[in-house]
Amino acid sequence: MVHHVLARERFENTRAAIRRLDDVHLAIMLEGEDWKPQQLHVHAPGTSDPTASRAIYRADNLADIMQALHAEERELTDYIGVTLRLLENVRKGLGDKYANVLEARYIDGWQWDRITDEYDIKRPYGHYLIDVACDWIDSIGIQACLRGEYDV
């Protein structure tokens, strides 16, 4: 069975990707200092201190760590970019109010209090705008919406 990503899931995944991208940018800026390898415990031979083991591992593998971080950065940036294109088509197809609330909630990560204050709307109406936009995207299909295959 093929799993079709629905619009709300796409926006939630994008929010998670943005948070992860922030972590990746920090790790790149710190040259992998905050990067944690996939395995939970990495011990260099002859060391019992986990901090020392991690430092030795980092020093020995810095080039690979940085390469992995940059690859993840590109992948996350591409994923987020596709969602931003989708959001622009929501703006073209439904209008600014739908796109603005989606963007504030999922791209900017605003809490509902800020959204309702910024756009002078009630929270239920904000949920309604998101629901309508996601239903609209789902009725068209994400790929078709990305290609601009919808009636305005």
Side-chain angles (χ1 to χ4, degrees), residues 57-123:
Y57 181 88
R58 181 184 162 275
D60 289 347
N61 297 287
L62 183 58
D64 292 338
I65 291 169
M66 295 305 293
Q67 183 178 4
L69 285 168
H70 285 292
E72 186 175 6
E73 178 187 36
R74 284 188 301 277
E75 181 180 309
L76 290 166
T77 301
D78 290 347
Y79 186 86
I80 295 164
V82 169
T83 302
L84 291 173
R85 282 194 357 250
L86 182 64
L87 188 59
E88 282 311 304
N89 284 335
V90 168
R91 190 174 309 284
K92 292 174 187 172
L94 292 177
D96 286 339
K97 63 183 176 182
Y98 298 92
N100 289 344
V101 173
L102 278 170
E103 183 174 18
R105 185 72 178 150
Y106 294 107
I107 304 301
D108 299 329
W110 290 2
Q111 298 299 314
W112 278 108
D113 289 343
R114 183 169 179 192
I115 294 169
T116 58
D117 289 346
E118 183 75 23
Y119 296 111
D120 194 28
I121 60 173
K122 303 272 190 225
R123 187 173 177 165

Side-chain angles (χ1 to χ4, degrees), residues 5-31:
V5 175
L6 299 177
R8 185 176 304 274
E9 183 179 355
R10 175 70 193 207
F11 287 113
E12 288 171 356
N13 289 342
T14 299
R15 183 74 215 129
I18 290 168
R19 285 192 302 269
R20 177 63 188 155
L21 185 59
D22 288 343
D23 293 342
V24 169
H25 282 155
L26 179 61
I28 289 170
M29 184 180 72
L30 297 172
E31 293 186 327

